[in-house]
Amino acid sequence: MEKFTLLKSTAIPLASENIDTDQIIPARFLKATDKLGFGEQVFKDWRFHKDGTINKEFPLNNSKYSGSILVAGDNFGCGSSREHAAWALVGYGFKVIVSSFFADIFKGNALNNGLLPVQVTEDYLKKLIVHLEENPTSEVIVNLEEQTIESEIGNASFEIDAYKKTCLLNGYDDIDYLISKKQQINAFEATF
Amino acid sequence: MRKTLFDKVWDAHVVDVIENGPQILYIDTHLIHEVTSPQAFEELEKRGIPIARPDKIVATADHNTPTINQHLPIKDALSRNQLEKLTKNCLKNNISLYGLGHENNGIVHVIAPELGITQPGMTMVCGDSHTSTHGAFGTIAFGIGTSQVAQVFASQCLLLEKPKKMRVLVNGELKKGVLPKDVILYIIAKLGTNSGTGYFCEYAGDVFENMSMEGRMTVCNMSIEMGARGGMIAPDQTTFNYIKGKEFAPKGTDFDEKVAKWKTLATDVGAEFDKEYEIDASDIEPMITFGTNPGMGIKISEKIPYKNESSFEKSLTYMDFEKGKSLIDTPINYVFIGSCTNSRIEDFRVAANYIKGKQKAENVTAWLVPGSQRVAKQITEEGLKATFEAAGFTLRQPGCSACLAMNDDKIPSGEYCVSTSNRNFEGRQGQGARTILASPLVAAAAAIEGKIIDVTKVLEPVL
Ligand code: SF4
């Protein structure tokens, strides 16, 4: 996994609330057996009209927006547990998702793939979305070490599990950690 | 200290607690299927890590399988590839696989209970969010992502924060025509799709005590739709009777010893929950959803509420429904009775009982998809198949089918489908498809009438 310390980038606002994983990556794209290629399908049914033409209104298609930070409405990543949603977002190039709430499983999946969920207050989120819509070139800084997000509307702090933070900062994941605990797990199994 | 059912099972599985971090939880059983496992196998292979306990893994093919002509090669190359990968991975790693056509094959959350794999007091995981189904047995069961599938492969453990505990009490007597599906749709509509976030939910009260195991599974299955990590119901005599004699259930004195242990799992009197809700059973009526999340449900006799939120309005636009309108008499062209929520024998009994002597509406395409080969067999043996066929229905072969529409069972864009599955998200049953969640009874009635009807008005009076 890639290390994450600090990210400075423009951001894409996506005001919709309750964006579920079926929207992030529709089920018909789950047939692949590797992790590649999901980025192209992210938000497929929102990015394209039914007749296959591009939906220019959709923020990801709007040329005024760019960047590796997605700022999305409340309750992001609800619905199915498919990790493909995290792969699709990472594959598309996102490194940070900002929202006022993340669904549990999605949050875990994101962290396991080096995608940082930054949870801010509803008030901050609303202001940030409006600000980005009006100032698409303004930059946002996400500092994992300090657990802060800085933008032209002001700074905010976010929470992250101390263990997960260490993992991201060092670029190692849960598997590395669990393997290092092998002996203890074996001992537990023996008494079970 | 007085403990809840959840505490007792969780605490018994904690290998270690990391300071300022998660706990290491030991997993008893790991269920896998073709869609969320290949990348995990690949990850381990890439890192050169062996599978820790292949004997604790059970595999099935269900998400992406056809529900007709299962004996023929699968046409879709990508689906075929997924199944071939699963077979190869299981063979290579010594994992039991109940592949397509095997007598134990079926939807992962239907087969594990019916084979006696699911047992009280266990921890179970699967790369599918409706793993919560197994909680019906007093099991801690929850869905995981593919990275976590890889973690369990590598270590038989997961790194997790211990969730908080909530309890939903439903006491009293259920009205006629109210099924377990209505109970859970009512709970979600009432408490909201976020009410369970961060929690494990225990369902308690007479309604659940009097419910069959099939019904309890339907309830626990949808816990995730209120945001909960999982749902649980304390094991009791109904649970033990269900498990007894099943293929992988403990046998003889072993079984009796297990039962004695399982009896100690129930929540201690006076144990504390982080939050609790109480619902009166007599408030619940047959339910139906009108929107694009499972919390957007109403009693079938009610009207769509007025709400001025943009997501609410977006949802109604997608469904082409209006505020203040009733759904009764809405014409529908599709009915799906299936999915791990409602594809067990009891669900088909309810449907057959209603359908008996009636005829399917001409305009309706109805897919009746049993949850497993065993359920399919039982449907034939109990004569339900004959009832369905006489009424103009055909039964399909087991699988997830139109629950997530990964195979060819897709509802066309713009069409309404009354579905016994668990999710009515935009496009869940096919691009543009409009899903109306309901019980197998409401779905069967819609298939006969070609429109939504108030089932409570047509049920025979109970003598
Ligand atoms: S039936 Fe639906 S919810 Fe159940 S396991 Fe299959 S896809 Fe998941």
Side-chain angles (χ1 to χ4, degrees):
Chain A
M1 213 168 72
E2 251 180 77
K3 286 186 190 179
F4 187 110
T5 44
L6 184 137
L7 177 71
K8 186 174 177 190
S9 165
T10 48
I12 304 179
L14 185 55
S16 303
E17 291 177 356
N18 304 313
I19 296 178
D20 59 70
T21 51
D22 276 82
Q23 310 313 323
I24 301 172
I25 182 87
R28 60 183 190 281
F29 299 118
L30 307 189
K31 295 184 183 182
T33 52
D34 53 33
K35 296 181 190 177
L36 312 168
F38 288 107
E40 285 158 36
Q41 319 298 359
V42 77
F43 295 115
K44 189 76 173 202
D45 295 342
W46 286 356
R47 275 166 53 214
F48 295 89
H49 294 298
K50 277 190 197 117
D51 60 10
T53 56
I54 195 158
N55 173 9
K56 296 224 174 78
E57 311 273 289
F58 189 65
L60 266 66
N61 294 336
N62 191 328
S63 57
K64 73 175 182 180
Y65 298 123
S66 65
S68 46
I69 300 175
L70 181 70
V71 183
D74 192 53
N75 196 23
F76 187 84
C78 55
S80 147
S81 60
R82 62 185 68 148
E83 191 156 333
H84 310 70
W87 301 334
L89 291 162
V90 171
Y92 187 81
F94 290 117
K95 294 196 161 67
V96 169
I97 313 286
V98 181
S99 180
S100 47
F101 187 81
F102 292 93
D104 276 4
I105 301 184
F106 174 79
K107 195 166 160 183
N109 287 341
L111 286 164
N112 279 331
N113 286 282
L115 178 67
L116 179 63
V118 171
Q119 186 166 330
V120 294
T121 62
E122 274 183 44
D123 185 53
Y124 187 89
L125 182 73
K126 280 198 182 122
K127 284 187 187 143
L128 183 59
I129 288 177
V130 172
H131 177 77
L132 291 170
E133 283 170 351
E134 287 163 3
N135 308 279
T137 56
S138 96
E139 282 189 316
V140 175
I141 300 172
V142 175
N143 185 330
L144 177 59
E145 192 83 65
E146 303 290 326
Q147 295 178 218
T148 55
I149 170 167
E150 298 168 31
S151 73
E152 282 164 11
I153 63 154
N155 299 354
S157 60
F158 63 90
E159 295 290 318
I160 181 170
D161 181 304
Y163 163 79
K164 275 289 161 203
K165 182 175 172 178
T166 320
C167 284
L168 278 178
L169 289 172
N170 295 297
Y172 61 69
D173 66 10
D174 289 349
I175 295 182
D176 299 313
Y177 184 82
L178 285 167
I179 293 284
S180 76
K181 290 278 174 180
K182 205 71 202 212
Q183 259 181 347
Q184 203 177 345
I185 295 168
N186 290 345
F188 179 88
E189 249 179 351
T191 64
F192 208 53
Chain B
M1 209 183 93
R2 298 186 181 113
K3 282 184 158 191
T4 66
L5 163 66
F6 173 73
D7 288 327
K8 292 182 192 180
V9 182
W10 180 281
D11 295 350
H13 288 83
V14 174
V15 177
D16 196 11
V17 179
I18 304 170
E19 229 190 291
N20 288 322
Q23 309 190 356
I24 303 181
L25 191 76
Y26 189 77
I27 302 302
D28 292 314
T29 300
H30 185 190
L31 305 169
I32 62 169
H33 59 83
E34 74 276 25
V35 176
T36 54
S37 68
Q39 288 90 350
F41 280 112
E42 190 192 75
E43 182 76 30
L44 256 71
E45 208 156 288
K46 202 174 77 193
R47 297 191 189 191
I49 304 168
I51 306 254
R53 293 294 302 264
D55 55 321
K56 288 182 178 277
I57 307 172
V58 177
T60 184
D62 57 0
H63 278 61
N64 201 358
T65 52
T67 54
I68 44 168
N69 293 327
Q70 289 187 346
H71 61 288
L72 297 178
I74 298 174
K75 280 192 226 124
D76 182 72
L78 290 169
S79 304
R80 201 171 56 236
N81 178 37
Q82 263 186 345
L83 290 185
E84 281 166 2
K85 275 256 162 78
L86 181 70
T87 310
K88 241 193 249 156
N89 283 329
C90 288
L91 256 180
K92 198 157 142 196
N93 294 292
N94 253 324
I95 294 167
S96 340
L97 164 68
Y98 303 130
L100 213 53
H102 191 285
E103 58 172 357
N104 291 347
N105 176 257
I107 305 175
V108 60
H109 311 312
V110 175
I111 66 161
E114 71 184 9
L115 291 172
I117 293 168
T118 306
Q119 293 168 22
M122 283 184 154
T123 48
M124 289 178 89
V125 293
C126 175
D128 179 278
S129 39
H130 294 90
T131 308
S132 58
T133 312
H134 308 270
F137 291 78
T139 307
I140 289 186
F142 52 92
I144 54 176
T146 302
S147 298
Q148 290 174 308
V149 172
Q151 285 169 42
V152 183
F153 278 169
S155 66
Q156 203 55 34
C157 287
L158 278 174
L159 285 164
L160 297 163
E161 306 272 349
K162 186 175 179 181
K164 285 185 280 190
K165 295 156 287 183
M166 68 188 265
R167 177 159 66 180
V168 177
L169 286 162
V170 187
N171 281 305
E173 214 173 308
L174 291 177
K175 286 187 192 159
K176 201 165 45 122
V178 174
L179 300 186
K181 180 64 162 286
D182 301 307
V183 174
I184 188 64
L185 283 174
Y186 181 87
I187 293 173
I188 301 166
K190 187 143 178 143
L191 307 185
T193 46
N194 269 333
S195 54
T197 304
Y199 290 84
F200 235 86
C201 178
E202 179 174 342
Y203 303 94
D206 345 311
V207 163
F208 305 109
E209 283 163 26
N210 296 332
M211 219 177 246
S212 66
M213 287 316 294
E214 283 86 352
R216 293 178 190 182
M217 285 189 248
T218 300
V219 170
C220 287
N221 173 278
M222 289 193 71
S223 306
I224 182 89
E225 306 311 336
M226 59 176 169
R229 282 312 312 265
M232 289 177 103
I233 293 173
D236 60 10
Q237 202 53 47
T238 309
T239 323
F240 311 144
N241 293 347
Y242 179 96
I243 297 172
K244 194 167 186 172
K246 296 268 188 295
E247 194 166 330
F248 293 98
K251 306 268 153 46
T253 51
D254 218 19
F255 181 76
D256 300 334
E257 273 169 33
K258 278 278 159 82
V259 168
K261 237 189 181 173
W262 294 339
K263 281 185 175 163
T264 66
L265 292 173
T267 294
D268 298 331
V269 178
E272 285 194 17
F273 288 84
D274 298 294
K275 64 179 181 184
E276 249 182 301
Y277 297 98
E278 239 182 298
I279 285 167
D280 184 347
S282 62
D283 281 345
I284 309 175
E285 281 176 29
M287 298 288 291
I288 200 151
T289 63
F290 59 87
T292 55
N293 74 55
M296 298 174 85
I298 47 174
K299 294 176 184 171
I300 203 161
S301 57
E302 284 177 341
K303 298 194 165 78
I304 297 176
Y306 284 90
K307 239 191 200 173
N308 286 326
E309 280 165 24
S310 66
S311 59
F312 187 84
E313 280 169 11
K314 182 171 170 262
S315 193
L316 287 191
T317 309
Y318 181 84
M319 293 300 291
D320 197 20
F321 285 148
E322 274 172 55
K323 295 178 196 172
K325 286 265 168 72
S326 155
L327 292 190
I328 305 284
D329 288 338
T330 305
I332 56 98
N333 289 329
Y334 285 83
V335 168
F336 171 56
I337 300 184
S339 92
C340 58
T341 316
N342 285 115
S343 65
R344 298 181 180 82
I345 189 64
E346 205 170 79
D347 303 310
F348 289 98
R349 284 188 197 134
V350 166
N353 197 26
Y354 182 87
I355 284 166
K356 199 165 193 151
K358 302 187 177 84
Q359 278 300 314
K360 179 179 78 64
E362 292 232 338
N363 61 306
V364 171
T365 304
W367 291 331
L368 309 187
V369 186
S372 70
Q373 292 286 0
R374 276 165 202 256
V375 173
K377 203 164 150 229
Q378 214 171 339
I379 289 175
T380 310
E381 283 168 3
E382 292 187 13
L384 310 181
K385 188 174 178 197
T387 305
F388 289 129
E389 283 173 358
F393 292 89
T394 43
L395 272 170
R396 297 174 82 93
Q397 289 171 299
C400 294
S401 180
C403 172
L404 88 165
M406 262 189 91
N407 64 0
D408 290 336
D409 306 347
K410 292 181 177 42
I411 310 299
S413 185
E415 294 282 0
Y416 290 110
C417 177
V418 177
S419 175
T420 66
S421 55
N422 41 51
R423 284 185 170 151
N424 49 353
F425 298 148
E426 282 185 29
R428 171 81 177 183
Q429 295 195 293
Q431 265 180 290
R434 296 172 171 145
T435 303
I436 297 169
L437 299 177
S439 76
L441 175 63
V442 171
I448 297 294
E449 304 296 333
K451 60 184 186 184
I452 293 166
I453 62 159
D454 186 349
V455 281
T456 59
K457 299 242 161 75
V458 297
L459 290 179
E460 318 244 321
V462 199
L463 296 173

